[in-house]
Amino acid sequence: MAILAYSEVLRYLGYGGQELTPELQRRTDELVLHCEEVAKPATVCETFPADELPIELPGNDVANHLRDAVEVVFFAATLGHGIDRELRRLSFTDPLGQVIFDAAATARVERLADEVEARVRERAAERGLFCSWRFSPGYGDLPLSVQAPLLAVLNAQRRLGITLTPSNLMVPTKSVTAIIGMHPTPQPGLASSCAVCSLAEFCALRERGASCR
Ligand code: SF4
């Protein structure tokens, strides 16, 4: 995967177009590279018939999101425990570095999730199906408590080393879970074209001149 775009990291740092000092630019470049070195990206993905989901997904929002889906994909993605160890080390030795490294790692795990989503959309398109955007525990009224059964059904502790804190936060902290529906008809809320799609960088469909839409 390509190194993170500078702009992605700045977004997680809360920059909104202000001028950056050369020193901050240099530190950001350095810590983005360091994040790439430390990260051990890993993912798991399972697909289930929509009418035979192995866990309950409480809430109206996810039910609306998956309405008419024929299959549902659950996935988990993580950068691994090394990122958390490095964040802890930086918190003692380099607080600014910790903030930048944290932003770089957040941007990096979101890109890992983009990569998984692009593969799911490709698989769906090959079967004449259309995906909804990825929906994660904590969005809308889907409670974070669904993380436990979701991770269990993915066997994510054994396969990825992901565990939960008592408040349902994932460890490693730079981990993502998500739910994607595969539907018989195109779904709203996705990028209007490949040109503005955040998954374009990873999308084999686009490379072939095809489309998920
Ligand atoms: S790049 Fe185009 S084909 Fe690929 S996921 Fe995005 S919109 Fe779909």
Side-chain angles (χ1 to χ4, degrees):
M1 182 195 287
I3 296 296
L4 287 171
Y6 199 60
S7 58
E8 289 175 75
V9 180
L10 293 182
R11 185 156 57 86
Y12 287 105
L13 279 173
Y15 270 80
Q18 306 97 315
E19 194 162 334
L20 297 174
T21 64
E23 173 59 8
L24 192 55
Q25 289 186 24
R26 186 188 67 72
R27 298 278 350 251
T28 303
D29 288 343
E30 170 191 299
L31 286 155
V32 164
L33 276 175
H34 186 45
C35 179
E36 282 296 318
E37 287 161 6
V38 174
K40 297 249 179 301
T43 63
V44 293
C45 193
E46 299 287 350
T47 306
F48 302 94
D51 55 359
E52 288 176 36
L53 291 185
I55 61 171
E56 191 192 342
L57 297 175
N60 294 325
D61 294 330
V62 72
N64 288 334
H65 194 70
L66 297 178
R67 192 179 307 285
D68 303 329
V70 290
E71 292 187 358
V72 176
V73 175
F74 295 163
F75 79 81
T78 186
L79 298 186
H81 290 282
I83 294 284
D84 286 345
R85 281 194 293 272
E86 188 58 8
L87 281 167
R88 250 189 323 276
R89 189 188 71 78
L90 288 168
S91 73
F92 296 119
T93 59
D94 180 3
L96 174 62
Q98 184 207 14
V99 170
I100 299 171
F101 189 85
D102 187 72
T106 300
R108 181 67 175 84
V109 76
E110 285 301 321
R111 280 172 51 126
L112 183 60
D114 286 347
E115 207 177 329
V116 177
E117 185 178 341
R119 285 202 302 268
V120 171
R121 286 206 210 171
E122 182 188 1
R123 265 187 17 227
E126 282 165 356
R127 298 171 50 213
L129 296 171
F130 301 87
C131 287
S132 49
W133 48 271
R134 64 179 187 260
F135 197 104
S136 288
Y139 288 179
D141 60 2
L142 181 64
L144 269 184
S145 58
V146 85
Q147 292 285 33
L150 184 53
L151 291 169
V153 87
L154 290 168
N155 207 356
Q157 180 164 2
R158 188 183 63 76
R159 294 162 85 187
L160 301 180
I162 300 177
T163 56
L164 286 177
T165 68
S167 48
N168 290 313
L169 299 178
M170 287 185 283
V171 179
T173 56
K174 300 306 175 188
S175 302
V176 170
T177 56
I179 299 161
I180 300 175
M182 289 190 184
H183 304 251
T185 53
Q187 296 300 294
L190 300 179
S192 56
S193 73
C194 297
V196 294
C197 179
S198 60
L199 310 185
E201 182 182 344
F202 316 107
C203 185
L205 281 172
R206 185 185 62 92
E207 274 175 25
R208 296 202 297 267
S211 173
C212 69
R213 301 186 58 79

